[in-house]
Amino acid sequence: MPVPLPRPPALLKGLVTVVLAAAFAAQAAAALLPDVPLLLAATVVSLATEGALYRWQRGVLSLFAKSHADITVRHVLRDLLLVVALLRLGEQDRETVYAPLVAGLLVFYVLHCAIQAVSVLVRRTRTLPVVTRNIDASALRLSPAPSVLLRRPGPRLLVFGLPATAGLLASAPGDRPVYAAAGIALSLALGLTGLGALLLRLLPGRRPAAEQEVLDWFDAWLAAYRPTVGLYFSGGAASAYQANMWLEPLAAGPAGRPVIVLRERFMVQKIAATDIPIVCLPKVSTLMRLEHSTLQVLIHPSNSGKTSQVLRIPTIKHTFVNHGESDKLSSCNPYAKAYDEVWVAGPAARERYALAEVGVEDKDVVETGRPQLDGVLPYAGPPAGARTTVLYAPTWEGWDGNPGNTSVIAAGENLVRALLADPGVRLLYKPHPLTGSVDPRAGAADLRIRELIRAANRERTGVRPSDSAELTRRTAELDRLTTSVFRAGADTVERMLVQSAPEPGRAAAVTRATAAWEEAYWASLPEGEHQIITDARPTLYSCFNVADLLISDVSSVISDFLASEKPYAVANTSGLPEDAFRTAFPTVVAATVLTPDAAGVPDLLETVRHPEHDELAEARAELKLRLLGPAEPSSQERFNEAVRALCGEARDHRARVAERLAAELPGQRTETAVPTAPR
């Protein structure tokens, strides 16, 4: 296996650090000699490198800050060296001339510190306890954010301090302090203007609502909106897909007033396009206000450390729906017993929980199917054209280091080479978003696989559709409906202002636009060209609909693909014999098992092209029933019925608690009584 070369960004970080250090050293030498040409060159290089750092290498800035060499220290040092050079260039009696200039510089840096202090105060007034999306929050006096220059000390000091530095530099060749005075005066004027602009933001009528005012507004919104069912989610930036897959089922559910409850501020923008109101409640104390709302059920697509906090609310019923089902142990996490119910796709998952013995009782398991899969098209026979479309969608390496988790490391390149060797194959490669996040070998293998695909495309010349205007038009329309446009310096409050209540009918328009975009996307691709799919569009389910065959690992991708009943294969990188592999992972029962050397790929492709040789079709139909449940009623209908039933249990529980409290403490619970939620 070739040793990967160092990444260019790492080399670039080292290069800019050396250049900046050399520029300061040269500037110091020039100031002490003194040497005007060297002083000019070193200062210009130093300023240019600072600009490059803020534009392309922000990671290096944090390293400097940890070394107590942040932008303020560097800028003061740069100006100090210029002052030293001017003093060395002038006569002894000229020190009194430059003394006022030094004082002006000191005032400028004091002003810089004052701006930073006020900017922190402004930022605190704009850090609200509740962040919203798809909700009209104009009552909170939302406003656009201050300029980035006023909020970030690094860019601000570079821009505001540039006139002073330039003036000092211009004074050196002719020993003309008037240039330095003009530059420092301009920097002071910029600083005073910025400070004034920030101070205006602190006026009572110019800042957003205070914390208690926001909380009172939130309580009033809950009382007016009267949500019944919510989706609760907490996690990292790369995990947003786990929540996004449940947006459509929630929107199509029986509750006319659903809500999405988040815990991390950044996650508000990670949630895909939806008309459902979104509230982010970072603090536990704010989260607890849901206890006295009409919210009856919270749906959980994943477990996180913050899940335990919301489970403490006794007035809400909680159900775990997971973000996919597979034979992995993670699909039967013991944490699931903390929920009131666990909703699974079909009988196989119920049996899996029973065998796992993790404390989930069978009476708490409800089979709802997978509503997301209602749009997956059924098997329509062998490939219709000259190409067989193969979707290779491996999962990631996982946290436990099990070699059988992902095929990317041990088998990925062999599988891709075998598929690319067949001229009749069009390959769609869609790796898991977390590939390489734990094991660097997986990330390196993923990069090599992508290069294999690009190399194959360079040798394959397919017919490219002559008109791509349709895809461009569809992309623009879908982006207009699903993307909010923010200024570069927009903060959370400004985004709340922009992402107010959606226009009526937007959700239906997004559905239509998405279908039209997918049709245009697949039609726009050159005939037979292999694709590396890593963007949010097209979705995995859209890939299902154009694929004739899936090759994957033991993961939820298999269960979802079975909705189509198309042929699929699983790479066995576990080290187990095939019989033991099939026994250990029931989802492999109806699959073709591939070894790491990919020797079985040609025979597999032959089976896909000639269904009369397919001996697993009946097994796939049976496995689909076990994994996903019956086709009728639909998954969405079963999901809706589960929502209604659990809401009923929540209402009954509230009624019993209220009756018991009224009997035990008559007349003392009127103000804190739980509101009756709409049916």
Side-chain angles (χ1 to χ4, degrees):
M1 181 181 297
V3 178
L5 296 174
R7 294 184 178 181
L11 296 175
L12 190 57
K13 288 180 181 179
L15 178 61
V16 295
T17 303
V18 171
V19 169
L20 188 60
F24 273 112
Q27 191 181 19
L32 295 174
L33 287 175
D35 187 322
V36 174
L38 181 59
L39 182 70
L40 292 172
T43 305
V44 170
V45 170
S46 175
L47 288 171
T49 306
E50 291 279 7
L53 284 174
Y54 274 93
R55 180 65 178 85
W56 294 293
Q57 293 293 324
R58 291 184 178 272
V60 178
L61 297 175
S62 62
L63 295 177
F64 284 150
K66 292 177 181 178
S67 303
H68 300 285
D70 60 12
I71 180 62
T72 303
V73 172
R74 297 196 301 275
H75 209 82
V76 169
L77 177 61
R78 189 180 297 113
D79 287 348
L80 177 62
L81 290 173
L82 288 174
V83 171
V84 170
L86 291 175
L87 293 176
R88 295 275 295 165
L89 287 167
E91 299 296 333
Q92 194 72 19
D93 58 353
R94 298 299 301 277
E95 293 183 3
T96 55
V97 176
Y98 286 100
L101 301 181
V102 174
L105 275 179
L106 292 176
V107 172
F108 170 73
Y109 284 110
V110 170
L111 192 59
H112 166 70
C113 295
I115 296 175
Q116 180 61 20
V118 176
S119 71
V120 171
L121 293 177
V122 171
R123 184 168 64 249
R124 288 180 179 176
T125 64
R126 299 179 64 84
T127 304
L128 305 184
V130 179
V131 180
T132 66
R133 183 176 138 193
N134 298 335
I135 298 174
D136 182 5
S138 56
L140 301 179
R141 300 190 300 276
L142 307 179
S143 62
S147 168
V148 173
L149 284 179
L150 299 180
R151 288 154 45 200
R152 297 181 182 174
R156 180 176 67 242
L157 189 55
L158 281 175
V159 173
F160 286 9
L162 184 60
T165 303
L168 291 170
L169 195 60
S171 299
D175 190 21
R176 298 176 180 177
V178 64
Y179 294 146
I184 292 172
L186 181 55
S187 289
L188 287 172
L190 291 173
L192 287 171
T193 302
L195 181 61
L198 286 175
L199 287 173
L200 287 175
R201 295 273 183 165
L202 294 178
L203 294 176
R206 298 288 300 275
R207 61 189 179 206
E211 180 173 356
Q212 189 56 50
E213 189 178 351
V214 174
L215 294 177
D216 292 341
W217 171 88
F218 179 59
D219 290 340
W221 179 84
L222 285 174
Y225 182 70
R226 298 178 67 77
T228 304
V229 178
L231 179 75
Y232 179 91
F233 189 74
S234 172
S239 64
Y241 73 94
Q242 300 171 358
N244 288 333
M245 68 171 58
W246 286 100
L247 297 181
E248 289 188 17
L250 181 64
R257 296 181 180 275
V259 66
I260 298 172
V261 180
L262 305 176
R263 303 301 308 282
E264 292 82 19
R265 297 175 188 272
F266 67 82
M267 190 61 71
V268 174
Q269 301 307 320
K270 296 294 182 180
I271 299 299
T274 180
D275 285 359
I276 301 174
I278 299 174
V279 295
C280 177
L281 312 175
K283 295 182 180 180
V284 178
S285 58
T286 310
L287 180 70
M288 292 299 114
R289 303 179 93 86
L290 296 177
E291 180 176 355
H292 303 296
S293 72
T294 57
L295 194 59
Q296 299 170 356
V297 169
L298 277 178
I299 297 169
H300 299 257
S302 70
N303 300 311
S304 73
K306 295 180 181 179
T307 300
S308 61
Q309 297 171 348
V310 75
L311 292 178
R312 293 159 52 188
I313 300 179
T315 58
I316 299 176
K317 291 291 183 180
H318 302 269
T319 179
F320 181 60
V321 294
N322 213 334
H323 51 274
E325 293 184 9
S326 72
D327 292 325
K328 294 180 181 177
L329 292 177
S330 58
S331 289
C332 293
N333 194 310
Y335 200 110
K337 64 186 174 185
Y339 302 93
D340 296 288
E341 290 186 352
V342 175
W343 294 356
V344 299
R350 179 186 294 274
E351 296 168 8
R352 192 180 301 123
Y353 271 107
L355 292 173
E357 297 183 3
V358 292
V360 176
E361 297 186 32
D362 186 71
K363 66 180 180 61
D364 295 328
V365 178
V366 180
E367 298 175 25
T368 62
R370 289 273 286 165
Q372 301 89 340
L373 305 180
D374 287 350
V376 175
L377 300 177
Y379 177 64
R387 304 286 185 182
T388 301
T389 300
V390 180
L391 171 62
Y392 178 39
T395 189
W396 67 304
E397 56 270 26
W399 300 110
D400 58 7
N402 191 321
N405 285 344
T406 179
S407 58
V408 169
I409 299 174
E413 293 171 83
N414 293 333
L415 289 170
V416 169
R417 285 194 184 95
L419 292 169
L420 297 178
D422 190 317
V425 165
R426 176 179 69 158
L427 174 61
L428 308 179
Y429 175 55
K430 189 172 178 62
H432 193 284
L434 296 179
T435 298
S437 60
V438 172
D439 191 337
R441 295 178 302 165
D446 170 58
L447 294 177
R448 291 194 296 271
I449 289 172
R450 298 187 191 203
E451 185 52 41
L452 286 173
I453 295 172
R454 295 188 188 101
N457 278 336
R458 288 193 289 269
E459 298 177 2
R460 175 175 287 190
T461 56
V463 179
R464 181 176 289 277
S466 58
D467 185 12
S468 60
E470 178 68 8
L471 178 61
T472 302
R473 186 172 70 85
R474 295 297 185 183
T475 301
E477 174 64 12
L478 188 54
D479 287 344
R480 183 185 68 81
L481 292 169
T482 60
T483 306
S484 297
V485 180
F486 305 114
R487 295 185 309 119
D491 62 359
T492 300
V493 170
E494 184 172 341
R495 293 188 181 99
M496 287 175 61
L497 179 64
V498 174
Q499 294 177 312
S500 186
E503 298 179 3
R506 187 185 68 169
V510 169
T511 300
R512 293 191 299 269
T514 300
W517 181 90
E518 289 178 349
E519 182 179 354
Y521 172 80
W522 295 115
S524 70
L525 299 179
E527 181 182 352
E529 183 180 81
H530 309 297
Q531 300 298 319
I532 302 170
I533 302 175
T534 56
D535 294 334
R537 300 195 298 250
T539 65
L540 178 63
Y541 300 147
S542 179
C543 295
F544 284 177
N545 288 336
V546 300
D548 301 300
L549 166 69
L550 167 71
I551 299 178
S552 187
D553 306 320
V554 176
S555 71
S556 60
V557 173
I558 295 175
S559 303
D560 288 353
F561 189 76
L562 271 168
S564 68
E565 295 189 34
K566 295 177 182 178
Y568 71 101
V570 179
N572 179 11
T573 57
S574 66
L576 296 172
E578 181 175 331
D579 291 343
F581 184 61
R582 291 183 182 275
T583 301
F585 304 108
T587 53
V588 184
V589 168
T592 298
V593 176
L594 297 175
T595 53
D597 61 3
V601 167
D603 291 340
L604 171 63
L605 293 172
E606 189 69 15
T607 300
V608 174
R609 291 162 179 160
H610 301 282
E612 63 273 15
H613 302 310
D614 183 3
E615 300 178 354
L616 296 171
E618 185 176 344
R620 289 196 299 273
E622 294 176 356
L623 184 58
K624 174 187 174 182
L625 186 63
R626 287 193 63 239
L627 292 178
L628 303 177
E632 296 294 337
S634 70
S635 293
Q636 186 66 57
E637 291 175 312
R638 284 182 280 159
F639 176 82
N640 292 350
E641 179 54 37
V643 169
R644 282 190 288 265
L646 195 55
C647 283
E649 290 187 23
R651 289 194 299 270
D652 293 342
H653 174 261
R654 292 186 181 197
R656 290 193 301 270
V657 171
E659 183 179 353
R660 184 170 64 251
L661 289 175
E664 295 175 355
L665 302 170
Q668 298 186 32
R669 302 291 295 186
T670 54
E671 295 184 1
T672 59
V674 176
T676 303
R679 292 179 179 268

